[in-house]
Each structure stands twice: as C-alpha cells, then as structure tokens.
Amino acid sequence: MNQETMSPNEFAMCIRKLIEEEMEAINSYQLKIERCPCELCKKVLTSIMDEEKVHVGELTFALNTLSPEDAIKNAEGFEEAVGIAYEEEEETLPL
C-alpha cells in the first residue's frame, strides 16, 4: 500500500489534532482521579495523566519544528501571558 506523503501544513494540522486529543485525555484522567475512591488507583491514574502532559510537550516541539509560524505565535502568546501576569502582579503590590 502506497500512502502519499502529507504536506508540512497537512501534517501540522494532524499534530494539532493529536495535541487536542492528548489534552482531552488529560481532562478525562483528571475527572476520574477526582472521583476515584482508591488512593493507589489515583496514583496510577495520575502517573498516566502526567505522561499525557509529556506527550503534549513532545507534540508541541514537533509542531514548532514543522511550522515556524506556530513556533513564533506560541512564543508571542507565552511572552504576552507573562507580561500580563507580571503587570497585574505589580498593580497589586503596595507602593
């Protein structure tokens, strides 16, 4: 079976979908952990959830490598959020 190679843009779309799926899995595990009556099971589920978070990081790296535009926008968003966070913190500090 010969499958056609995707364009970088098509593959970037696939990676974004994988990131979305990993985030959904994280949310699903979090809900189950909060409702779980067994501490040992909570530890196991938490470990699995943490691995999903690692996957998000790995996929984000792959996306940023494949799509420089995504990398730039992600960096801009991070910088903007840091600026907002520290700006609000300064406003709440007594003079």
Side-chain angles (χ1 to χ4, degrees):
M1 176 183 260
N2 186 12
Q3 292 187 350
E4 189 175 320
T5 301
M6 291 185 215
S7 72
N9 189 47
E10 290 171 322
F11 201 72
M13 290 171 57
C14 289
I15 292 175
R16 285 187 209 100
K17 180 65 176 167
L18 290 170
I19 292 170
E20 177 184 349
E21 291 169 359
E22 294 290 347
M23 295 298 253
E24 288 174 4
I26 292 165
N27 288 339
S28 178
Y29 281 112
Q30 184 66 50
L31 288 172
K32 288 167 180 61
I33 291 164
E34 289 172 4
R35 296 179 177 156
C36 182
C38 172
E39 289 303 316
L40 183 58
C41 292
K42 282 183 179 185
K43 285 183 178 182
V44 172
L45 292 175
T46 299
S47 175
I48 296 168
M49 180 181 68
D50 289 345
E51 187 61 31
E52 302 299 339
K53 292 176 182 179
V54 171
H55 294 165
V56 170
E58 292 168 334
L59 288 166
T60 301
F61 174 83
L63 178 61
N64 289 343
T65 300
L66 184 66
S67 172
E69 180 182 348
D70 279 83
I72 291 166
K73 295 299 180 185
N74 286 335
E76 286 175 5
F78 184 86
E79 288 178 21
E80 197 171 297
V82 168
I84 292 168
Y86 285 112
E87 182 178 278
E88 289 177 7
E89 185 176 287
E90 289 174 7
E91 290 175 6
T92 61
L93 292 176
L95 296 177

